[in-house]
Amino acid sequence: MSKEFFKKKSSFSLFRETALSFLCGLIFSCAQLGSIASPIPVAAAVCTGCLGSVSVLLGAIVTGFISGSFLSLIPLLISLMLAACVRIFLREWNSSLFVSVSASLCVFAAGMVYSFAQNKSAEGILVSVMSAFLTGTTAYFLSTVLASFNNQKKIHLKSSVGCAAAVVYFVLISALFSFEYSTINPGYIIGVAVTLIAAQRFRYCGGVICGALTACGAMLSAEELGMSLVFLPVTGLLAGYMTEKGSFVASGVFFLFNALAQLTIQNSFTTYSSIGNLMLGCIVYLLLHTICLDKWLVADEPASDRMMENMALRLRFMAASISSVRADTEKISELLSHSAYESKYKDKQLAYALCSTGTEGKASQKKTQDIPYEHEKSRIKLQREKTARKTESRHILFEQLIASEKMLASFGESMSVRYSSELTDAIERRLDSCGYYCDSVAAYFNQCERLVIELYSQDSRFEENMSSVCRVLSEMLGTDFLPPEKAGTKNSVRFCLCQASPYHLKSYSAKRCAENGDVSGDTTLLFRDSSGSVYAVLSDGMGTGRSAAVESRMTAEMFRKLVGSGISCDAAIRIINGLMLTKSEQESFATLDTVCFDPDSCEVTLIKSGAASTIIRQGDRVVSVSAPTFPIGSAASADVFTKKISLAPGDIVVMLSDGVPESQYPFIKKMLLTDGEIKDIADDICRKSVIFGGGRCRDDVSVTVLQLCRRGE
């Protein structure tokens, strides 16, 4: 990936951190945790970078001037200034222990200075010590959570990071409970919504834990409101069991039981206020319950049954894809064998006609004297042919075994994804509610946290609704998806929806038939696999015309079907090589030139078997990649060349068939250094291949030009 991309990504992260830090200082500067100031601003200032700590300080200053409580915020402002100095001068020290000690010392020093300035008693010093201890503890757990999220882009709840996240949530919700605008309390509303979301996502465990943390936070900052939430863990437990009935039923039961509890233990004014906040919290939950948190929050659930079901489903689909390829090859072999049988029959008829002449009759009488020698010679020749056939069959068998090993290995690698049972269930419910029924759904995040949704169906009419399905899922998840990629077997079809990446490939192909030809023997394809990787394929069949087109089309389509079903490129090529060797007695082969683009890493993989050179423009330089390999079907062992190259936006890849003479390569390299459109480049190469070929087009010419672009360009 280009340095420009990393620079922009770093700038965006820096801006996000600065903005969030400023909001933290702006919102939580006046927050309380019981009788002392909330430790969140100082903890956030120490856990972030230089700009982050300064932003928290600026936010606190703005809050002090707006609220008119600047003097009361002096201890906090002194703590934030000390924290900013720590982050500026000790920016490389980022361990959780250092962050905790730094936050404690900053708060303690500020408290001592303020206490001596105000001539406060020992009670003020004790409050400073307690505040420093609480701030250091909060900073330690906040640093743990942020480090996990920055490194892995997720938080594992069933680990020490999950415990740290619980402490951070407790401190945050306590601070929010200290705010109250008229009868509306933001902590109450957010706490109720979080409890219901946790009950939906983690069932009764999530409802009980988040309910208990919310109730304890309320008791710490607002005792009267805390009393109204004393039954929140119990109702969270009930909501966890009721989520299977639907979000409206769960929130309704949750609201009803909490309202009855508050009417029992509270006075009238507090009860009406609490019930209003409770209703607002349930409404917020209903608005946000469709948001999937699996991308950031990970918990080890008892979802092994679904995982195994998904694995078995993918295995069966892969096996069906191989069976489909084999069936197609058998049909072609029957046609070719029938053609070969007719050719042999004609040769025998001609031989009989020659033997019937007088000259041939005399020659045959003369050769009867050498029958024993000729018989032994034929037997040895036949034995050699049998040995050669067995050797070739053994090589083919070994190649297929290797292909099977690579296929299983590649499938194991493809399973290193993170399935989301929550998202899968939500998608199934949404499609069912909209009247779109499919046999199975699998939603998961790949290694780069890009969302992939697989939809399996045996109903052929499901394809007619795919555009509507894509629109529904895009609106539901707030995510842009690439056009669905279809892969079919005899009995079922699979559609893959991949989350759009920041980059995409623009492509254009141009062809020219050989002289006196009406059909090009070359085949070009462009498709995506289940992970969203883009494949550009160019195959050149033996010879020209229709016979070459059959070979190239068969090779390219088999490669697309195998790779699209989840088989690695190497294994797919070995399988195709064996099928090409054994499909008929006639010799046939085809080249295979493939460019695989990974949208997550902006890296292309060149895969060549007997293909012509590939020309690549990288920035201001042009390189040519060639591979001295044999075509597919020409040898028992598949000959495959692979090479990975990193691209940047604007780079161009040119794939060529053998019909483009090598004398044209300097002209192509010179053309790529100009800022031309890929369509003009492909058309010019095709048009001038005749000139560089000496005025004749002896072979089919195919050109595919690819360009890496940012999405939207």
Side-chain angles (χ1 to χ4, degrees):
M1 195 175 292
S2 65
K3 294 181 179 179
E4 181 184 359
F5 171 78
F6 283 118
K7 183 178 179 181
K8 288 194 173 184
K9 183 178 180 182
S10 178
S11 301
F12 175 75
S13 300
L14 193 62
F15 172 77
R16 180 180 58 188
E17 178 183 316
T18 304
L20 291 177
S21 299
F22 179 79
L23 289 176
C24 178
L26 189 69
I27 295 172
F28 291 102
S29 296
C30 292
Q32 297 289 318
L33 190 62
S35 60
I36 62 176
S38 174
I40 294 176
V42 179
V46 178
C47 291
T48 56
C50 303
L51 288 178
S53 59
V54 174
S55 299
V56 176
L57 176 60
L58 292 177
I61 293 173
V62 172
T63 299
F65 280 112
I66 293 176
S67 63
S69 57
F70 186 83
L71 294 178
S72 63
L73 293 180
I74 288 179
L76 175 63
L77 296 177
I78 295 174
S79 301
L80 291 175
M81 285 189 290
L82 293 175
C85 293
V86 169
R87 298 319 304 161
I88 291 173
F89 294 105
L90 300 175
R91 66 184 66 183
E92 301 298 330
W93 294 57
N94 295 312
S95 67
S96 298
L97 181 60
F98 174 78
V99 165
S100 175
V101 173
S102 300
S104 300
L105 293 177
C106 290
V107 173
F108 180 74
M112 293 300 293
V113 170
Y114 188 74
S115 297
F116 282 119
Q118 297 293 323
N119 295 319
K120 290 191 175 182
S121 60
E123 183 180 354
I125 298 175
L126 182 60
V127 171
S128 298
V129 172
M130 293 300 296
S131 180
F133 176 77
L134 184 60
T135 303
T137 304
T138 303
Y140 179 85
F141 289 117
L142 181 60
S143 174
T144 302
V145 173
L146 292 177
S148 175
F149 190 79
N150 290 333
N151 294 333
Q152 303 179 11
K153 301 303 180 184
K154 61 180 72 74
I155 298 174
H156 293 274
L157 295 181
K158 291 192 175 181
S159 64
S160 59
V161 180
C163 177
V167 174
V168 172
Y169 171 74
F170 170 77
V171 177
L172 283 172
I173 204 68
S174 299
L176 291 173
F177 267 105
S178 66
F179 298 111
E180 188 164 0
Y181 305 98
S182 183
T183 59
I184 297 176
N185 188 287
Y188 201 121
I189 297 171
I190 295 175
V192 168
V194 169
T195 301
L196 282 170
I197 292 174
Q200 173 189 290
R201 173 64 180 87
F202 305 107
R203 299 299 186 262
Y204 56 89
C205 291
V208 170
I209 294 174
C210 286
L213 291 172
T214 302
C216 291
M219 292 290 291
L220 187 61
S221 294
E223 184 177 353
E224 291 185 0
L225 286 177
M227 288 300 298
S228 67
L229 292 174
V230 70
F231 290 101
L232 192 62
V234 179
T235 53
L237 171 70
L238 184 60
Y241 281 107
M242 297 299 296
T243 50
E244 295 181 356
K245 304 296 183 180
S247 57
F248 284 96
V249 174
S251 60
V253 172
F254 178 87
F255 173 79
L256 179 62
F257 276 84
N258 272 290
L260 290 175
Q262 293 175 22
L263 288 171
T264 303
I265 64 176
Q266 293 289 308
N267 59 54
S268 59
F269 176 77
T270 308
T271 300
Y272 295 144
S273 174
S274 300
I275 291 178
N277 288 317
L278 178 65
M279 182 178 294
L280 290 175
C282 292
I283 293 174
V284 171
Y285 159 72
L286 292 175
L287 294 175
L288 301 179
H289 78 282
T290 57
I291 296 176
C292 178
L293 302 176
D294 262 9
K295 186 173 182 178
W296 304 284
L297 300 179
V298 181
D300 298 327
E301 300 179 13
S304 57
D305 292 340
R306 177 174 288 277
M307 179 71 74
M308 295 302 297
E309 179 183 351
N310 288 328
M311 291 177 63
L313 186 64
R314 296 186 72 179
L315 278 171
R316 289 195 298 268
F317 189 83
M318 186 183 298
S321 298
I322 297 175
S323 175
S324 177
V325 170
R326 179 177 54 79
D328 294 341
T329 307
E330 287 177 352
K331 292 179 181 179
I332 296 176
S333 298
E334 290 177 1
L335 295 175
L336 295 176
S337 298
H338 181 70
S339 172
Y341 175 79
E342 292 180 350
S343 178
K344 287 183 178 180
Y345 179 77
K346 291 180 181 179
D347 292 339
K348 286 183 179 180
Q349 291 293 101
L350 179 60
Y352 290 149
L354 291 174
C355 289
S356 63
T357 60
T359 305
E360 292 294 332
K362 293 180 181 179
S364 62
Q365 291 178 1
K366 183 178 181 181
K367 288 183 179 180
T368 54
Q369 300 176 359
D370 299 329
I371 286 179
Y373 174 75
E374 292 293 336
H375 178 72
E376 181 65 17
K377 186 177 179 181
S378 299
R379 188 187 67 80
I380 294 174
K381 182 179 180 181
L382 182 61
Q383 185 65 31
R384 289 177 178 175
E385 290 178 353
K386 288 182 178 180
T387 303
R389 283 197 299 268
K390 288 182 178 180
T391 302
E392 185 177 10
S393 299
R394 187 163 54 249
H395 280 303
I396 295 174
L397 177 60
F398 288 160
E399 278 293 304
Q400 297 307 299
L401 290 175
I402 295 173
S404 300
E405 294 173 7
K406 291 183 175 294
M407 181 175 61
L408 293 175
S410 64
F411 180 70
E413 293 175 359
S414 66
M415 290 306 298
S416 59
V417 296
R418 184 163 58 86
Y419 280 92
S420 172
S421 58
E422 175 196 359
L423 188 55
T424 299
D425 294 339
I427 292 172
E428 288 179 343
R429 290 194 299 267
R430 177 58 65 88
L431 293 181
D432 289 344
S433 64
C434 295
Y436 305 123
Y437 304 103
C438 56
D439 299 328
S440 182
V441 178
Y444 56 89
F445 297 93
N446 64 10
Q447 294 178 343
C448 295
E449 295 301 321
R450 200 152 51 89
L451 178 61
V452 180
I453 301 174
E454 295 181 358
L455 305 172
Y456 296 85
S457 178
Q458 295 182 359
D459 188 357
S460 58
R461 294 173 297 179
F462 185 73
E463 183 177 0
E464 301 173 0
N465 301 318
M466 273 310 298
S467 59
S468 300
V469 169
C470 293
R471 185 175 63 256
V472 168
L473 296 181
S474 180
E475 293 175 354
M476 169 189 171
L477 302 172
T479 302
D480 293 330
F481 290 99
L482 299 173
E485 189 71 19
K486 176 184 176 182
T489 63
K490 183 178 180 181
N491 299 321
S492 64
V493 64
R494 182 195 69 189
F495 293 94
C496 276
L497 296 179
C498 297
Q499 183 179 355
S501 62
Y503 300 95
H504 72 106
L505 281 181
K506 290 172 60 178
S507 66
Y508 181 81
S509 296
K511 291 184 179 181
R512 179 184 290 272
C513 298
E515 53 187 6
N516 300 324
D518 56 348
V519 176
S520 174
D522 302 338
T523 299
T524 56
L525 290 178
L526 188 72
F527 67 94
R528 293 194 312 273
D529 64 6
S530 58
S531 66
S533 296
V534 182
Y535 292 81
V537 180
L538 194 158
S539 180
D540 185 358
M542 181 180 65
T544 59
R546 298 185 181 275
S547 60
V550 171
E551 305 296 340
S552 64
R553 189 71 180 177
M554 178 181 177
T555 301
E557 286 292 343
M558 284 194 297
F559 182 81
R560 180 190 63 80
K561 187 171 290 188
L562 292 171
V563 172
S565 66
I567 299 175
S568 66
C569 295
D570 194 1
I573 291 175
R574 292 178 185 275
I575 293 173
I576 297 171
N577 187 72
L579 293 173
M580 292 285 285
L581 285 171
T582 58
K583 67 183 177 65
S584 68
E585 295 181 1
Q586 295 178 343
E587 184 184 33
S588 62
F589 55 82
T591 65
L592 183 68
D593 193 4
T594 304
V595 172
C596 174
F597 169 67
D598 185 352
D600 295 317
S601 63
C602 284
E603 190 176 62
V604 296
T605 302
L606 305 182
I607 305 169
K608 292 180 173 293
S609 288
S613 299
T614 299
I615 302 176
I616 302 175
R617 188 190 77 184
Q618 291 181 287
D620 296 331
R621 70 189 189 102
V622 178
V623 297
S624 177
V625 180
S626 59
T629 54
F630 294 105
I632 293 179
S634 60
S637 299
D639 196 5
V640 185
F641 168 84
T642 60
K643 184 175 182 178
K644 293 185 177 182
I645 299 176
S646 296
L647 296 183
D651 289 350
I652 295 177
V653 179
V654 180
M655 305 171 65
L656 307 168
S657 67
D658 293 335
V660 178
E662 293 186 5
S663 59
Q664 194 175 350
Y665 289 178
F667 164 75
I668 298 174
K669 293 181 179 180
K670 184 177 180 181
M671 185 192 309
L672 291 178
L673 292 176
T674 61
D675 295 329
E677 295 292 330
I678 59 174
K679 180 180 183 302
D680 298 333
I681 294 174
D683 290 337
D684 285 347
I685 294 174
C686 260
R687 184 170 57 253
K688 296 192 176 178
S689 62
V690 179
I691 300 174
F692 283 91
R696 298 182 60 186
C697 189
R698 298 178 177 84
D699 195 2
D700 299 311
V701 175
S702 291
V703 181
T704 297
V705 183
L706 310 168
Q707 186 175 27
L708 177 62
C709 303
R710 289 189 176 88
R711 192 161 299 281
E713 295 182 354

